[in-house]
Amino acid sequence: MFEALKRDGLARTGIYSKDSGESIETPSAIDADSFFPDLKEHEFSNIPLFANKKFVDKNSPEYKELIFIHPESENKGVFGDCLILSNWHTVLENPKYYVKMLLKMKGNHPSDTAWYTPACALPSNVATLINSGFDIFDYRAVDLKSAKGIFCTSDGEFLAEEWFDKGLCRCSGCENKNLFEHNRNALDTEIETVKNFLKDGHLRELLERRCRNSASQVSILRLFDMSYDFIEPRVAIARSTRLYANSGESLKRPEVKRFVERVIERFVPSRTDTAVLIPCSAKKPYSSSQSHMKFQSAIQNRAHEIIITSPLGIVPRELERMYPAGHYDVPVTGYWDGEERAFITDAIARYFEKNRYEKVFVHLDGDSFEIAKAALERSNTDYECTATDKLTSSESLKKLESALKYGRKKGPNLIKGTLSYQFGFDADTSKLQLKGKFMREKVLMGKKQVFSIDTGTGLMRPTFEGWDLIESGYRVYIDNFIPQGDILAPGVLNCDPDIREGDEVFVVGEGAVATGRAAMGAAEMCSSKRGVAVRVRKVKKL
Amino acid sequence: MFEALKRDGLARTGIYSKDSGESIETPSAIDADSFFPDLKEHEFSNIPLFANKKFVDKNSPEYKELIFIHPESENKGVFGDCLILSNWHTVLENPKYYVKMLLKMKGNHPSDTAWYTPACALPSNVATLINSGFDIFDYRAVDLKSAKGIFCTSDGEFLAEEWFDKGLCRCSGCENKNLFEHNRNALDTEIETVKNFLKDGHLRELLERRCRNSASQVSILRLFDMSYDFIEPRVAIARSTRLYANSGESLKRPEVKRFVERVIERFVPSRTDTAVLIPCSAKKPYSSSQSHMKFQSAIQNRAHEIIITSPLGIVPRELERMYPAGHYDVPVTGYWDGEERAFITDAIARYFEKNRYEKVFVHLDGDSFEIAKAALERSNTDYECTATDKLTSSESLKKLESALKYGRKKGPNLIKGTLSYQFGFDADTSKLQLKGKFMREKVLMGKKQVFSIDTGTGLMRPTFEGWDLIESGYRVYIDNFIPQGDILAPGVLNCDPDIREGDEVFVVGEGAVATGRAAMGAAEMCSSKRGVAVRVRKVKKL
Amino acid sequence: MISQKIEKPLACWKSKETYSGEVLDCLTVIFKSGGCSWNRCTMCGYKNERYHKMPAEELSTRIKQQVSWVLSEFKPDSYQMVKIFTSGSFFDTDEVPPGARDSIGEAFKGKIVIAESRTEYVKEDIISDFLAIVDDNSHKNPLYVAMGLETTNDYIREKCIDKGHTFEDFKNAVSQGRKAGAGIKTYLMMKPPFLTESEALLDMQKSLKECAPYSDMISMNLCTVQNRTDVERLWKQRAYRPPYLWSALKVLIEADVHVMCDPVGGGKRRGPHNCGKCDMEIVDAIREFSLNVDKELLRVYFERGCKCKNEWEFILKEEKPFCMPLTE
Amino acid sequence: MISQKIEKPLACWKSKETYSGEVLDCLTVIFKSGGCSWNRCTMCGYKNERYHKMPAEELSTRIKQQVSWVLSEFKPDSYQMVKIFTSGSFFDTDEVPPGARDSIGEAFKGKIVIAESRTEYVKEDIISDFLAIVDDNSHKNPLYVAMGLETTNDYIREKCIDKGHTFEDFKNAVSQGRKAGAGIKTYLMMKPPFLTESEALLDMQKSLKECAPYSDMISMNLCTVQNRTDVERLWKQRAYRPPYLWSALKVLIEADVHVMCDPVGGGKRRGPHNCGKCDMEIVDAIREFSLNVDKELLRVYFERGCKCKNEWEFILKEEKPFCMPLTE
């Protein structure tokens, strides 16, 4: 029996329990011979990964506690099963097939199955394996390294003669000069490390380090990122933690791409007469920074403020608190690399192709200035530059202020901006008002509260009245029962495919409606047999 | 007394011995209170890093075993001293000043001094510190983390409540549930890890992982790379190990930039009538790969073969064995990112602006095809595409062959290409002949050997007759003595500033000349008081 | 513009103070003046708080207008004590012309007046004159001269504060003040820049001991990071951290004399602070202690501790001049 | 083109062989023929080594030309034994027309002839006829029929080799051959694909035991990765690794009967290999053993070991059908 707990992309923590009652917290390495005693009984049962369907169908072994799976097989586990993906170690150096086969199989099997991959895990690659959705590993690969005199760490594999017993590790194995013990320790501790990063919401950051252990791991990460349509639905809509964009791959994170896509595809700006492009700040939200206070007092709401930043491209002022716009950190050198330039130029150009502003003021310098100009030219947008020298110099600010002198005053509409971004629905917000202190706002219609704002993530939390305004999308359909607490996955009949873990959802049933937050993505919500689907906030009987 | 041993950029291993005889292998963490007992005696002696010269000059402490240094101070250590850079921890999050101040001080002080930086080293940043040229650390920073209840690993700092004693580490401190002990263990083992990577020639690869621990470490690495003129002379001309280009920063490695610059500035191609651009292969040297065998049998030496590759840009066939062209590995997904595109487009364009070929055939596909076209257009070079579909398909190969049908046959001149690249001198190679099996060639003039080839690095090793052909550069001048073995740094009077560690050099003195290999770069050779400057191969009395 | 700008002091507020075992209402006034003649102290935030250069007469007029404003805003019978500050020295005649000083004396006649000055302006004659104006025999000691000694260590005072006088200068000023019949209030500064936490703590303890014989009242200021000061620049460069509240507690608990302390900015990043969790209760306890002179509450909080007390103990032991500040 | 292409066998070479305790000179000829009628074995590299379809008469002529070439190139009195292979079955009449077979028999009359065939073509009449041609009474057993049994395990033979016959088929063929008066030589295959190292090793040991009663000579082939074979495809997919030389050594040492073995490609990545350091000496020892039938040298090398013997022992124990091959 397997139950997934914390999920992130394909990765997850979970609990796998055998019928005997024995159970492990996953991800975890097991001693396969004792944990799955039946496994070694099937002689002559090898089936290579690239074997064709006929060969596979003819020769597939039937294990007692495991389901044999294969890219070409129709053999499928059901909820709670443990699946064994044999011989996966033979594609570890073959990123193209690694990703292709894996995504095919992940698509073919229910997500709440435990995945065991034998003889693959090393301290240097197990982060990638866990990120690929594997849950159970064994010690075969590290034991083999021990037999070969190889010292394993999370940084790679090294000749034991030169690296073992040289002070690089102080585990019990190293104290005892027992390489076998060290290598198993190294695998176990690395799995725990990955597990903790996963629970902490920083698996991606860890991966962006660990993947450097080999070219193929880098390629695997990049290929996963290119499989955006497959991965993105599995990534929560927000994290409570910061997003550290510390490598080139950060630009390709599903969260980053999703943000850019939604700003272009969903977001409805407060105004499209005049925009002003300004730089980001290290402090988040931007408007709490000294530089933005200066910009804002020069702009005086006479233009739509759009922040140009890496890796997010463009952040309209309305969305500055939305995850990850209010939550990212990025190394700054002043130099924007070619990929950042290309990615951000494209984002800006697409935004201005969709939203035809009459005039855009560019208050940027250095590389971001060049990027913005190129993008505005590409999108045939009329623009004017307002900066001289340092952007926050009084001269620059004066120039900015006087350029906007005749602009109409109209502040950013946080409500419309957030709702359109979050729900993909252009709600009528004319009767709504934002009340309350900065970072503690509520949205009222008359005296009725329609939304609160989750200041941790920037998401709006609709009340029942709020849901009346969002006419479609983000619905979870349940059977005819009155929820007595959270809604479990088996209780979900159907749901909107746009729903991601962490999204605000509206639960609709014959007997009741409820507000709440999705605890899993749409696909899992519709197919899982276990686990909370929606954390319910309020229920209303019909 | 400090002696540097293995160097790589600013980083080095070494031995620091106190007058008492006590000595440590660096890099290393010390218990500062007992190692430098005098240090704590200087009360009220704080001088912040940003203090001005007047303040510094007035207040600098004078230690018994240490030299106080400061960006604004003219205080200098001499050979063998241990320098203390106080309060450096206050710029760890300030990459701009970190790099600016450090390079200023490294330029001001002799390189064979040991650098001690107090209260800076954590397991998560010590790789960056070592890479910055620090040798001695203490436990203050980790002990502080212990006092604050922070669990330290080479991946970062974490709340001990949630991370310590959770199976992430099995060191003695973790076994004893002693956080203080764990944190010191973690620092010690990380220093040993960095040291081993440094000795192994893979410090850069480790850094490209570790720097992700914080945005500022990424920025520091990037800023160092932007300080090419300072760093490059400190990087050996070749490594015996592979170069793993597993991140965006790999494109900016000094070795990579140096290769590109030399191909453009120094390299003399065998011919400039016709060139053919072909893709790289995973196997090195390229010509041992199946795809290159096919290309070569289609080209039949009727054009100058130029390989287009990331991260090196362009590799002329003559240089395919030269470090790092024959020594790099790179993740391949088929997608070339914006920075690769920009960098390689620039390299190709500059090459073809300098070397005006009459005609270039482009046998490339995908992104590299687009890049090459853009570069050739930028350089106004006449080109023709010869590929259809798959580059190694018989159709493509036939098209390539027939496009070159009327070309003049002239094989690559490995000798001229290598000599011009390595020595920056366009030697007369008309009387030279390459003899011997692949990867075991010698260069003869008549029956006299003038060069052998170091197949590990691709470098030519001149005999005395070989040096006659290289009329200038790469000379090391010594006093009037007959070398009885290797030449030590104090024996060097002067040398050519282009010399890098690992370069072939010609030793010239009044009494003798010698052939050999530089064991340090030009600047160190001229200034060091200790260590082998040139490993001598042959000596000839005059 | 035809409206006249109203002249107001830089700040003026009421608070409670302990005096001779009694809790009094106290008015604190910071007059805008001609500005400090020295104007170099590293932590001073009043450097720019001054009138532009103007004739003494005009300066006098303006200060008198401030006095009027004070008198009209705060009922004279609502307080018994007055603390007078300028952005420099109250007894510096260039800064506060004699006429202005006299009207201030008149305004606060009958109160217990504490007036702050640099040592070089504490001269018997000037003090006597002012005392004569203030004194209406309501109090035994109607005037206290307050001086920022900061520390009794001349080296620290010079390097870290750049105060421009010595402990000896202070003692001379004390004797001038006493000759004039005034009491002495001494300000000490906890943790000027360039000191480690333990250097600052020990310096404060030593200073307290050494200044006690010369002081009728002692007030310990905990250094805060004021806008546009040298200390702020250092703080932004991560070269300065305000003192821990633990250090202040320890000093107060262990002091042999009563020490007043108002932890301005306490618990903020720019003020004396601990970890953020335990700060406010300690700040409140210190404020209360200044009134009730009872160390019990201080001891309770000190002994109860907090997670961050460990950190502070570590800092006391391990923060050294060559590696400071270790925390923020 | 006006020149006539010379017809040559696919390969032809001389070597030493042990026979009845004597070392003989032996000629091995691989004739190009009409090609194997089965042509499906996973490791077979001869699938494409055949004449294009042609009339039997022409085929016959071409093969006879090959015979002439052999006779002219290798002096008949320079060897005593001949091993005849085709890219399929020597006794398949479609592959080697009777006329051609007869001339081959004539050519090698008086030698000890070993001719290889699939089991289904081993028929008493054909063998008798051929024996009659070859035999000139110089030898007691002038003809041996060689068959690739590969393994006595029908399941392995079918799944891993796709050989198309059973152990039973083999036994029948043996009885046909014996009835015709021929001796029997059996080829076994060490480590076809889809077997772990230990499965392969145990299968070989079992096969040796089980085939011994039916065999006069046994030869163990160590699987190699031939161009354009199924095995090569698997090898490139990292799904196949040739056997360790350690396994071969172990089999040879522990065998109860003499087993011939020529480790073709030994020490190369595509052939049976260990770590690369110890390979060549073991290959040489195995070659020598085939001649001198003395296990001593094998034992010496086996016991001396190498760093990689540890790895091999681990592989024997831990390589399983669900995680193989573990090494390359």
Side-chain angles (χ1 to χ4, degrees), chain B residues 39 42-46 48 50 55 58-59 63 86-87 89-90 93 118-119 140 143-144 147-148 161, chain C residues 153 155-156 158-159 194-195 199 234 237-239 307 310-311 314-315 318 320-326:
Chain B
L39 238 192
H42 301 259
E43 62 175 2
F44 313 139
S45 62
N46 174 249
F50 288 89
F55 187 93
K58 189 168 170 198
N59 296 294
Y63 301 114
S86 299
N87 305 312
H89 67 289
T90 59
E93 299 299 319
R140 270 199 174 75
D143 288 353
L144 172 62
K148 294 174 83 163
E161 286 160 42
Chain C
N153 182 319
Y155 180 81
I156 293 178
E158 192 205 331
K159 176 182 174 186
F194 313 122
L195 295 186
E199 284 172 347
L234 289 164
Q237 291 165 347
R238 302 202 174 196
K307 268 191 192 168
N310 223 6
E311 169 187 317
F314 179 87
I315 293 298
E318 298 292 343
K320 300 289 173 192
F322 54 86
C323 59
M324 61 160 274
L326 282 175

Side-chain angles (χ1 to χ4, degrees), chain A residues 155 158 162-163 166-172 185 188-189 192-193 196-197 200 206 208-210 212-215 218-219 222 226 246-247 252 330-333 335 337-339, chain B residues 155 158 162-163 166-172 185 188-189 192-193 196-197 200 206 208-210 212-215 218-219 222 226 246-247 252 330-333 335 337-339:
Chain A
D155 293 314
F158 310 96
E162 289 162 28
W163 291 68
K166 296 285 185 289
L168 278 75
C169 177
R170 293 184 181 173
C171 78
S172 54
N185 278 340
D188 285 340
T189 54
E192 291 304 319
T193 299
N196 260 36
F197 271 88
D200 205 38
L206 184 69
E208 290 187 13
R209 301 169 210 179
R210 290 293 194 272
R212 317 296 165 195
N213 284 336
S214 70
V218 177
S219 295
R222 291 180 184 170
M226 291 182 196
N246 285 343
S247 83
K252 314 285 181 171
V330 67
V332 177
T333 60
Y335 176 78
D337 88 18
E339 187 68 1
Chain B
D155 292 316
F158 311 97
E162 289 161 27
W163 292 68
K166 296 284 183 291
L168 277 76
C169 176
R170 293 185 180 171
C171 78
S172 54
N185 278 340
D188 285 339
T189 54
E192 291 304 318
T193 300
N196 260 36
F197 271 89
D200 206 36
L206 184 70
E208 289 186 15
R209 300 170 210 177
R210 291 293 195 271
R212 316 297 166 196
N213 284 336
S214 70
V218 177
S219 295
R222 291 180 184 169
M226 290 182 196
N246 285 343
S247 83
K252 314 286 179 166
V330 66
V332 178
T333 60
Y335 176 77
D337 87 20
E339 188 67 1

Side-chain angles (χ1 to χ4, degrees), chain B residues 280-318:
Chain B
C280 62
S281 63
K283 200 165 177 187
K284 310 279 172 338
Y286 308 123
S287 53
S288 64
S289 71
Q290 289 205 346
S291 60
H292 274 244
M293 288 177 191
K294 288 177 186 165
F295 296 143
Q296 291 191 297
S297 79
I299 296 166
Q300 295 165 28
N301 282 336
R302 287 178 303 203
H304 184 215
E305 295 169 19
I306 295 176
I307 294 99
I308 301 302
T309 181
S310 178
L312 297 183
I314 55 180
V315 180
R317 177 67 73 196
E318 295 93 322

Side-chain angles (χ1 to χ4, degrees), chain B residues 397-410:
Chain B
L397 292 169
K398 258 180 220 153
K399 200 172 162 195
L400 174 61
E401 186 172 346
S402 78
L404 293 168
K405 199 158 45 184
Y406 302 112
R408 184 168 57 95
K409 283 206 179 191
K410 186 185 180 202

Side-chain angles (χ1 to χ4, degrees), chain A residues 326-356:
Chain A
H327 310 69
Y328 69 97
D329 263 339
V330 67
V332 177
T333 60
Y335 176 78
W336 293 46
D337 88 18
E339 187 68 1
E340 280 175 309
R341 284 167 177 269
F343 180 76
I344 293 167
T345 303
D346 192 60
I348 301 174
R350 283 174 64 203
Y351 180 83
F352 284 103
E353 276 156 16
K354 188 182 173 215
N355 301 294
R356 306 300 314 177

